[in-house]
């Protein structure tokens, strides 16, 4: 199995930055695509960004394009989400996910259908 451990969430003022981390352990060879999703109460989880570990290609959701960057340190089996110029509407629980499919495929895959999912970390942006 694969385990995911997120960290880095917290409270930040609008315009500020945060970096989320997702450490992958276990049978990491099963993982190709990694992604971040976010969810607010009463809503479906929203795709934020994804990366393919094999190619390094990244994909961003439209709502965070330019402001957020996903990147990976394969030596550390860790994926990061750098979030800049945060807005109050970015407030959500952010989840890390890992899957055998590529990052491109994860853009159109429902969060619940991904192979492995983290516990989530809260990000709150105050106005």
């Amino acid at each position: 199995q694969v385990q995911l451990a997120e960290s880095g969430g917290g409270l930040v003022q609008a315009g500020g930055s945060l970096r989320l981390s997702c450490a992958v352990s276990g049978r990491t060879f099963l993982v190709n695509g990694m992604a971040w999703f976010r969810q607010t109460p009463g809503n479906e989880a929203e795709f934020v960004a994804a990366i393919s570990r094999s190619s390094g290609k990244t994909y961003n959701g439209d709502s965070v394009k330019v402001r957020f960057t996903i990147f990976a340190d394969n030596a550390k089996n860790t994926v990061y989400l750098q979030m800049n110029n945060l807005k109050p509407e970015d407030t959500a629980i952010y989840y890390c996910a890992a899957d055998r499919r590529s990052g491109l495929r994860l853009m159109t895959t429902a969060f619940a259908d991904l192979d492995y999912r983290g516990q989530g970390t809260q990000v709150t942006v105050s106005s």
Side-chain angles (χ1 to χ4, degrees):
Q1 292 297 323
V2 173
Q3 294 79 42
L4 306 174
E6 300 123 324
S7 61
L11 173 64
V12 64
Q13 288 188 331
S17 298
L18 278 176
R19 178 178 292 183
L20 306 183
S21 300
C22 177
V24 186
S25 60
R27 304 175 73 183
T28 58
F29 62 90
L30 294 174
V31 174
N32 181 15
M34 299 225 27
W36 289 94
F37 284 71
R38 65 186 182 185
Q39 190 171 26
T40 54
N43 293 309
E44 296 285 333
E46 174 192 9
F47 171 81
V48 176
I51 186 169
S52 291
R53 297 179 75 205
S54 56
S55 66
K57 289 185 177 180
T58 62
Y59 310 89
N60 271 28
D62 289 338
S63 62
V64 303
K65 203 160 281 188
V66 178
R67 297 188 299 121
F68 291 10
T69 302
I70 186 171
F71 61 99
D73 185 336
N74 287 335
K76 295 182 178 179
N77 284 320
T78 301
V79 173
Y80 304 91
L81 184 68
Q82 178 66 42
M83 305 185 293
N84 298 328
N85 190 22
L86 283 160
K87 304 176 181 180
E89 52 263 42
D90 293 319
T91 295
I93 298 175
Y94 283 71
Y95 295 94
C96 175
D99 198 277
R100 66 193 183 281
R101 291 165 286 193
S102 69
L104 178 62
R105 289 287 306 277
L106 300 192
M107 291 183 71
T108 55
T109 302
F111 178 67
D113 293 335
L114 297 174
D115 291 341
Y116 308 100
R117 301 180 297 277
Q119 294 298 309
T121 184
Q122 176 71 46
V123 172
T124 302
V125 185
S126 62
S127 57

